[in-house]
């Protein structure tokens, strides 16, 4: 069934799942579903392969874009009988994403995308623990990983480059192990897969990310790909090689945030320090 491309694509994702032991049969895999092509592809393939999957969607409250994404993932799950959990930052943190972004941007030098990214990660980990998930799967793809590696080098955070891999263990019970089945799949191949499969998803990016630094890096990596076609593969493979070589020196220093108990590299996690700033500035 399906075209040769679809079979090839699915078998390369299956290969990543097996080669990196991303999940075992019987594991409850919670798939973080934005409603877009990447996470819908992950959910579809894991479900087709017989993994025990559930979906979680965070409503980001970005007008019609969020409404359409939510409706798309809801109907995808309904059609396949996959349980879907809806989460919101209002329920988990007491504020809408929109409010957090606009207030914090006025008071800090953080971009809308990094605020949203920190919060999404916090909510997903918290919910995955609550739901008893054994794995948290995301739709991060080859292009995302190459961009993140470049951003970390440019920002002078080499230690963060050591975190990019298909699977990150839970480090005690702080994190639900996070897996990225599309780690080696390019954005273009996922788009083609999603289109050929006829997924009902939006292909536009988040309207808030248009002018972001991350978006700029994304375009730069794409531009450099004209000179080095394998640039993204080379970047993630170099990072995996370096991680292998310096495994002992890796800074796996996550500990519990003393305010919320979620993982943190410092005493207080980034979400709590953002909330602290927000509350302090209100008084
Ligand atoms: P992004 O941070 O937008 O690059 O998305 C990276 C991954 O995070 C996606 O592939 C999804 O797995 C997950 N994700 C992004 N947005 C949401 C959302 N609103 N709800 C649940 N998961 C999300
Ligand atoms: Zn915290």
């Amino acid at each position: 069934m399906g075209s040769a491309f679809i079979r090839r694509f699915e078998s390369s994702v299956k290969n990543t799942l097996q080669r990196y032991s991303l999940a075992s049969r019987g594991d409850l895999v919670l798939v973080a579903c934005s409603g877009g092509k990447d996470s819908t592809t992950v959910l579809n393939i894991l479900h087709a392969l017989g993994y025990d999957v559930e979906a979680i969607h965070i409503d980001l409250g970005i007008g019609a874009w969020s409404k359409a994404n939510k409706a798309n993932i809801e109907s995808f799950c309904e059609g396949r009988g996959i349980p879907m959990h809806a989460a919101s930052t209002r329920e988990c943190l007491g504020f809408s994403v929109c409010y957090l972004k606009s207030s914090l941007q006025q008071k800090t030098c953080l971009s809308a995308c990094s605020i949203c990214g920190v919060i999404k990660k916090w909510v997903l980990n918290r919910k995955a623990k609550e739901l008893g998930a054994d794995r948290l799967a995301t739709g991060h793809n080859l292009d995302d990983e190459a961009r993140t590696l470049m951003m970390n080098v440019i920002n002078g955070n080499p230690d963060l480059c050591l975190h990019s891999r298909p699977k990150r263990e839970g480090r005690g019970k702080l994190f639900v192990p996070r897996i990225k089945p599309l780690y080696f799949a390019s954005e273009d191949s996922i788009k083609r897969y999603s289109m050929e499969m006829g997924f009902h998803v939006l292909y536009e990016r988040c309207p808030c990310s248009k002018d972001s630094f991350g978006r700029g890096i994304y375009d730069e990596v794409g531009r450099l790909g004209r000179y080095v076609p394998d640039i993204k593969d080379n970047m993630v493979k170099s990072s995996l090689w370096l991680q292998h070589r310096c495994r002992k020196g890796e800074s796996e220093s996550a500990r519990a945030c003393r305010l919320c108990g979620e993982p943190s590299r410092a005493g207080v996690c980034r979400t709590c320090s953002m909330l602290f700033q927000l509350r302090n500035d209100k008084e």
Side-chain angles (χ1 to χ4, degrees):
M1 281 266 289
S3 73
F5 167 77
I6 286 185
R7 285 196 301 276
R8 232 181 13 255
F9 183 87
E10 289 179 344
S11 109
S12 75
V13 176
K14 191 173 168 189
N15 187 38
T16 305
L17 285 160
Q18 288 171 347
R19 178 156 178 222
Y20 290 88
S21 310
L22 297 193
S24 309
R25 302 284 156 183
D27 279 345
L28 172 58
V29 184
L30 186 66
V31 184
C33 291
S34 61
K37 65 181 188 325
D38 307 284
S39 42
T40 304
T41 294
V42 171
L43 184 61
N44 184 64
I45 294 181
L46 291 178
H47 182 244
L49 290 173
Y51 287 93
D52 183 8
V53 286
E54 295 188 7
I56 180 159
H57 173 76
I58 310 171
D59 188 350
L60 300 175
I62 308 173
W65 188 78
S66 284
K67 282 204 178 86
N69 277 315
K70 187 170 185 204
N72 288 342
I73 190 64
E74 267 170 358
S75 75
F76 185 91
C77 290
E78 208 176 287
R80 286 160 179 79
I82 301 172
M84 187 194 127
H85 308 273
S88 78
T89 57
R90 202 184 280 283
E91 159 227 329
C92 295
L93 294 166
F95 301 101
S96 69
V97 182
C98 189
Y99 175 79
L100 287 166
K101 281 195 293 200
S102 60
S103 314
L104 284 162
Q105 269 190 289
Q106 285 167 19
K107 291 158 191 159
T108 65
C109 54
L110 294 169
S111 69
C113 289
S114 48
I115 295 167
C116 189
V118 168
I119 291 165
K120 275 192 288 197
K121 215 165 163 181
W122 189 98
V123 171
L124 289 172
N125 193 52
R126 170 73 50 120
K127 284 288 186 186
K129 285 192 280 191
E130 271 174 29
L131 294 166
D134 300 295
R135 299 279 184 271
L136 176 64
T138 61
H140 288 100
N141 63 35
L142 180 69
D143 296 50
D144 295 327
E145 295 301 314
R147 180 199 52 183
T148 304
L149 284 169
M150 187 124 160
M151 276 175 75
N152 288 333
V153 171
I154 288 173
N155 286 329
N157 294 319
D159 57 322
L160 298 184
C161 296
L162 299 174
H163 300 167
S164 164
R165 52 180 175 268
K167 178 182 181 186
R168 280 202 80 193
E169 292 297 348
R171 286 148 290 158
K173 297 238 177 297
L174 279 179
F175 276 106
V176 171
R178 288 185 310 225
I179 61 169
K180 298 173 180 174
L182 302 181
Y183 190 87
F184 297 107
S186 72
E187 171 107 20
D188 287 346
S189 68
I190 300 166
K191 188 168 179 186
R192 179 168 169 196
Y193 178 80
S194 168
M195 284 179 153
E196 283 197 20
M197 292 295 287
F199 294 154
H200 203 263
V201 296
L202 295 182
Y203 290 96
E204 296 93 71
R205 292 180 183 285
C206 169
C208 299
S209 74
K210 286 210 168 79
D211 299 318
S212 73
F213 175 57
R215 188 64 237 244
I217 300 290
Y218 201 86
D219 295 341
E220 279 309 310
V221 176
R223 203 176 58 78
L224 290 171
R226 276 194 253 138
Y227 305 101
V228 187
D230 290 336
I231 183 169
K232 296 163 197 159
D233 273 295
N234 292 346
M235 286 173 79
V236 300
K237 285 178 182 157
S238 302
S239 156
L240 290 174
W241 185 88
L242 286 167
Q243 290 179 56
H244 185 69
R245 290 298 293 262
C246 52
R247 188 143 284 160
K248 282 207 181 73
E250 184 181 354
S251 62
E252 282 286 20
S253 53
R255 47 193 158 131
C257 163
R258 68 180 135 80
L259 299 179
C260 71
E262 285 296 306
S264 169
R265 252 172 281 134
V268 173
C269 78
R270 292 185 70 194
T271 297
C272 284
S273 60
M274 290 193 308
L275 292 177
F276 179 78
Q277 256 175 307
L278 204 77
R279 293 201 178 98
N280 247 20
D281 289 352
K282 267 172 127 185
E283 283 156 14

